[in-house]
Amino acid sequence: MSTLSVQDHGVAHHEEDHGHHHKQSFLTKYIFSQDHKMIAKQFLITGITMAVIAMLLSILFRIQLAYPEKSFPLLETLLGRFAPNGRLDSNFYLALVTIHGTIMVFFVLTAGLSGTFANLLIPLQLGARDMASPFLNMLSYWFFFTASVIMLSSFFIQKGPASGGWTIYPPLSALPKAMPGSGMGMTLWLISMVLFIASQLMAGINYVSTILNMRTKGMDLWKMPLTVWALFLTAVLGVLAFPVLVAGVVLLVFDRSFGTSFYLSEIVLNGTQVQPYEGGSPILFQHLFWFLGHPEVYIVIMPAMGISSEVMSVNSRKPIFGYHAMVYSLIGITVLSFIVWGHHMFVTGMNPFLGGVFMITTLIIAVPSAVKTFNWLATLWRGNIRFTAAMLFAIGMVSFFISGGLTGIFLGNAALDINLHDTYFVVAHFHLVMGSAAIFGMLAGVYHWFPKMFGRLMNEKLGYLHFWITFIGAYLVFFPMHFMGLDGVPRRYYAFTEFESMKRWLSVNTFITWAAIMAAVAQFAFLFNFIYSIFFGKKATQNPWQANTLEWTTPVEHLHGNWPGEIPTVYRWPYDYSKPGAEEDFIPQTVPLSQTMSSNLPHDFEDNPTGLQEHAKWINTQNKNEEVK
């Protein structure tokens, strides 16, 4: 595991290049860039744009839930035929829910989060000039961008976007005539997702290759920051799980267009039209979808975990608590996430014994998550905490992960899940543990590495405002949903006024909608801060947070190849903060152990017996000097 991998290739070439790198045109520098730092910015800005669109879609359907009987002429002006007489069309409501979920899970929290921080941090924190394949990296972004455009274009076709829910279960997704959103909108959804998965596979292969082959001298696996570990295991998950969804989607295209029956059997349309399908099973699609779908949850949350670990260690001025346990728990999550998918399917009539197996594996995967939570709290414990905006968002991520994770224990229990499945309890659970936690991890990363991306600092006071309104708003939106779910209120319903038992929740729905609007407004404070700071923010120093990792040894101005001259050598792990005996409260990874004799500890020399002997000699000399004194 501790094999060294040295990256010398291209050093001489890059040293010549730094002073007078051939002039790039606007197209090659900003549009079709092969520089990992520019591609990270492209992923981030595209991801933020998609997040804003998904947020506005959610406000539209929240207005419908709060005021189901009311007309809003403005809606008809904005949406035309999708909001006749100022009220959302019921089919379009389902389309909004579908596209909101799809954009947030895939386009924001998968590509926006991993695409940004894997591209930015993997080469910089490992000491590489760029990714293993810069061209493949560029291609992965443009596949993602094309997929985003196709997904959004479905709003401009006659019958509207896909509307079978973000999980696109057959038969709604397999029969083009099933509902308006099952036609061209669903076809565009499927094309978009195939391109998106191609993008993720290209990116994942690139990330894994870079981490395994391009670490600088001295950077063994146990000296990698937790961000890189998290991004590495996320990429492994993606490469193994995404192809299964492609298989599912291809079979769905066959059923839709070529008359096969993989997912369809004995279908009757409109009560009379018997369809010529036999022998298929819609449950097969659920197995294929959730075989990706559950690893997908961890593809979303693991980068946020890695980012939060790094940000909390830097701003607590303490080493991360239990570094090895953190790495092993990430590996445990990666392995276990492939054997829990059945907990999404307890109500499909599966054999109770099989349900029991999935229940046990689901409860076991809570263990590595609990290890991580304990270690974050122990890192904060008695730390010299600096409450930067990034630190607040990292702590917020832990808060959502705990409160959302606890309800996962309810849903992982088959007997309880049968009552709670497809209610608002599920919506509350995954919006806290996956949605809010991952978004907060992503925002922590944006605030923390903004100086590395743009050479300027974001405004901290606006960051605090953004944090508190978003944090309180998210809890006000999702916490009441638990109680709605316990009362049996189903998700994805267009209006609850039809049912006496659900009418009493109308006032709660109104409250949730206003809380969502409040939280949405706070995002515009972030957008202003983000855009303003790119151009007019306070200029950053080389290492504004006094952190140890390699990215803070690169110049503030971006260079082709990251470092002028040679890539630095790594001598120590990335979390030497507040080390007793050290002159400062941080020791960068590039400082040799021979320069920090007063603060070295025996375990610093695990792989270095010579260094341990020198350290022992130095201690003996010090002791003799003390005796002489």
Side-chain angles (χ1 to χ4, degrees), residues 142-284:
W142 284 105
F143 266 71
F144 162 60
F145 182 80
T146 310
S148 306
V149 171
I150 291 172
M151 186 63 73
L152 295 178
S153 70
S154 63
F155 279 100
F156 302 98
I157 60 174
Q158 190 184 356
K159 290 189 176 175
S163 50
W166 76 276
T167 54
I168 59 155
Y169 284 178
L172 285 183
S173 58
L175 284 172
K177 295 176 189 166
M179 61 192 296
S182 299
M184 178 60 114
M186 182 58 70
T187 303
L188 290 173
W189 193 99
L190 296 168
I191 293 167
S192 171
M193 282 310 297
V194 169
L195 290 173
F196 174 84
I197 293 167
S199 150
Q200 292 308 296
L201 292 176
M202 285 188 274
I205 291 164
N206 217 351
Y207 304 154
V208 171
S209 307
T210 307
I211 292 167
L212 292 181
N213 298 316
M214 296 177 68
R215 303 189 302 281
T216 187
K217 188 177 179 187
M219 176 67 81
D220 63 40
L221 293 179
W222 292 114
K223 290 196 181 82
M224 296 197 315
L226 287 171
T227 35
V228 178
W229 268 109
L231 291 162
F232 171 58
L233 293 164
T234 301
V236 170
L237 264 182
V239 168
L240 294 176
F242 270 119
V244 180
L245 183 59
V246 173
V249 163
V250 168
L251 298 185
L252 192 54
V253 170
F254 278 20
D255 273 14
R256 287 171 60 80
S257 307
F258 303 117
T260 56
S261 300
F262 290 107
Y263 307 129
L264 297 170
S265 185
E266 298 165 9
I267 298 286
V268 178
L269 265 180
N270 304 323
T272 54
Q273 302 166 27
V274 180
Q275 301 295 304
Y277 297 106
E278 277 180 32
S281 167
I283 306 297
L284 169 63

Side-chain angles (χ1 to χ4, degrees), residues 1 19 26 50 76 83 111 133 137 155 239 280 386 412-413 428 451 461 487 515:
M1 261 245 169
F26 179 84
M50 294 297 277
E76 188 168 17
S133 169
N137 210 15
F155 279 100
V239 168
R386 299 185 308 201
N413 186 313
K461 287 194 171 66
D487 194 39

Side-chain angles (χ1 to χ4, degrees), residues 608-628:
N608 184 359
T610 317
L612 189 59
Q613 287 169 2
E614 284 176 21
H615 180 61
K617 274 185 204 167
W618 184 85
I619 289 174
N620 288 335
T621 311
Q622 292 298 106
N623 291 341
K624 281 177 187 169
N625 290 346
E626 287 296 319
E627 285 168 20
V628 169

Side-chain angles (χ1 to χ4, degrees), residues 98 122 147 292 323 337 447 454 466 477 483 494 505:
T98 302
I122 288 172
L292 158 85
Y323 172 82
S337 69
Y447 280 100
F454 298 103
H466 177 217
V477 168
F483 303 103
Y494 169 68
W505 291 103

Side-chain angles (χ1 to χ4, degrees), residues 280-357:
S281 167
I283 306 297
L284 169 63
F285 180 83
Q286 291 193 31
H287 279 293
L288 293 172
F289 182 88
W290 288 115
F291 190 82
L292 158 85
H294 203 81
E296 168 65 20
V297 172
Y298 292 101
I299 288 168
V300 161
I301 199 68
M302 286 206 313
M305 290 172 162
I307 288 166
S308 297
S309 303
E310 178 71 22
V311 170
M312 286 166 84
S313 181
V314 170
N315 290 301
S316 298
R317 311 312 289 162
K318 272 181 67 183
I320 193 80
F321 186 90
Y323 172 82
H324 285 80
M326 288 295 240
V327 173
Y328 286 128
S329 63
L330 282 170
I331 294 169
I333 286 170
T334 303
V335 173
L336 288 168
S337 69
F338 281 108
I339 52 170
V340 296
W341 81 91
H343 66 216
H344 296 271
M345 301 170 58
F346 286 144
V347 295
T348 57
M350 67 161 58
N351 185 317
F353 175 76
L354 188 59
V357 171

Side-chain angles (χ1 to χ4, degrees), residues 473-499:
Y475 269 122
L476 290 179
V477 168
F478 300 119
F479 209 76
M481 289 184 186
H482 292 98
F483 303 103
M484 293 171 69
L486 287 169
D487 194 39
V489 178
R491 63 196 280 204
R492 294 180 177 151
Y493 275 35
Y494 169 68
F496 295 112
T497 44
E498 310 292 318
F499 308 94

